[in-house]
Amino acid sequence: MAERTIEVKSRLGLHARAAANLVRVASRFQSKLTLQRVEGGREADAKSILSILTLAASYGTALKLVAVGDDAEEALDAIAGLFSRAFDENEKAVLQPTAAKQELRYQGLGVSDGVVMGRVLRLQKGARDVYRAEIGDGDVERERRRFRAAVRLSRRQLEAIKQRAEKELGRGHAYIFDAHLLFLEDAKLTRDVEDHIVTERSNAEWATKVVGDRLLSIYAQMNDEYLRERGSDIEDVIQRLLANLTGEGLPYPNLSEDAVIVAPDLLPSTVAELDLNHVKAIATDSGGWTSHMAIIARGLDLTAVVGLRDFYHRTRTGDRIIVDARRGEVVLHPEAATIEQYEFTSPRLESESAAAFERGPVTTRDGVAIALRANVELPSEFQAVRKFGACGVGLFRSEFLLSRPGLMNSEQEQYEAYKALAEAAGPDGAIVRLFDVGGEIANDAGQHERNPALGLRAVRFGLRNKQIMRTQVRAILRAAPAGRLSLVIPMVSDLADVKAAKKLIAEEVESLKTHGESFAQVPIGAMIEVPAAVLTAEKIAAELDFFELGTNDLVQYTLAVDRGNDQVAAWFRTLHPAVLYGIKRTLQAGADAGIPVIVCGEMASTPAYAVLLAGFGATDLSMTPAMIPRVRAVLAQIEAGEAQTVAERCLAAACADEVEEIVRAEFRTRWPELFPPNMLPRPTEN
Ligand code: PEP
Ligand code: MG
């Protein structure tokens, strides 16, 4: 055995290309070669690039090099020589391409408030499509072969890319693919994946994902910026492997600092699963104000800007980023001056400062009482129901209980969730919506409908999958004695949907009675969010205990505008007279039938729109809990009678532009202090 202490002399530290040179030199010798940080003690195999990079050895780091074997001394000489020559790097050439990146700004739509500074963590749709499949003894060899084949294919692809990069961009730019090739063949990766297949009896995709995640999390936690950025190179390699194994795949690393998730698109359930200790914001290429992902982000108080179009492809994991939802903007590679400016002006806001919020219904100046309830998607939001003074839970989007699209929870799991909900909601109760799956949700489960929003969604899904609906109904009925639960049927088109759902519910009531189970009957309502339901609302009302008015879908279906598609966001006009007419009609049908109508779309969360809703006669609103204090403050200072005058003027308009103009003019004159220009719809530029 021989050893020597050496120092990193390259200004960039022991970075990817330097490490690649080191691996090349070390691999010429038979001896086992180990590098150890003198401070901190971390150890690495000098023949493994992945292992070397985990040393995070920056300029000036002292390392102990230990060689065990016949050619130990020669190996030490060669490696020490390489260190003293700063890895044969032309530092200028290496430094140039990475020199200060230019600050870039992108415009999107701020859908969840806040201003956050952090580092990019790229996520791509498909991560969840890597499943663990247990394999039998006989299949281990097959999985290992599949993995090796994916490595070979990835190598051929990378060599071709490298050649093209050399030809088109020059050698200086192609070196990174040398590093990718070394990552790909590194025993730390290949051996670990194969070991995982063998020891865990797991399919090759899953083993690749587990090992990849582990490596990525090591890189994500490095202090050295340059080295941390190498995590995105490993991410590329892992993605390539997964793509070659499955056609899809995504690493999901853990970050140790403020992470900003950047993705083309995000599943609401992915947002719900994010580690909120680390993830501070979201920036996506697509999405809109009422997409479920945005709703969840608001519920979790997670800053979000969506509709950034081609942003994802311009980022790399580790890039510095500012997400400014106020301006609907993101800043990539912010300059020092920009960072400084944001550091001075980014308080995270107002409403949170007050220690206690009022509770109970709000009363307008002319004496109309309006209940303010909470929309809830996740158990983590239960606390907010009390905190912001909500009159119970006006809408529990139960589908967010499902951990994965297509994977249903057991009756017992659901029972416990609804019981906890009933307890958290208190005497004002909670309304559980039957699973609104289908549409964007079922589509992500791989059931590709041609037109998912018009497809087997919500009550249609339940009526086609009766066992799932029965299980859920039973769980709700059994949990009902724990508090005051109601049940709402999503997306009914007409009386037939309501009758079919009610029949099934009645059958479950009978079955629980027969089996002597403890349960309670619950009020039954329906979501009115499809124009057909609006137009037949009087008929439907006769069969129900209450209505819930889902304005998000009502806008989508009335105007034929996909609520999650940023390309048509300009057509998603909540204040379209046709939508307002639907709202008025539904409220009227409810009033005529003597049943409550709870408005629970995002409209209710927006103070100016809440005033209009009050003008149409709404006395029950359900919204993102954090918005309750703001909506309360506004409603307490207006007269419902005045709001009605404005609402009626709006109904006479011909298009959304006209309505918005009326709203701006009327609100400015009637309630100038309550509605500064930024709280009113902005004029459209088309
Ligand atoms: C709505 O459509 O307005 C609604 C409240 O339901 P969701 O947003 O979950 O579709
Ligand atoms: Mg809806």
Side-chain angles (χ1 to χ4, degrees), residues 292 395 397 399 433 436 457-458 490-491 527-529 549-554 556-557 563 600-601:
H292 277 139
L395 174 65
R397 292 179 163 101
E399 59 278 8
R433 179 169 75 185
D436 188 353
R457 183 186 156 181
M491 212 186 134
M527 298 284 303
I528 304 297
E529 48 191 351
L549 186 49
T551 54
N552 305 333
D553 277 316
L554 189 62
Q556 155 161 280
Y557 294 124
R563 59 195 266 193
C600 61

Side-chain angles (χ1 to χ4, degrees), residues 136-147:
D137 287 352
D139 294 329
V140 169
E141 225 11 75
R142 185 200 62 205
E143 288 304 298
R144 290 173 72 179
R145 273 201 310 274
R146 282 185 60 229
F147 174 68

Side-chain angles (χ1 to χ4, degrees), residues 525-536:
M527 298 284 303
I528 304 297
E529 48 191 351
V530 173
V534 172
L535 295 173
T536 55

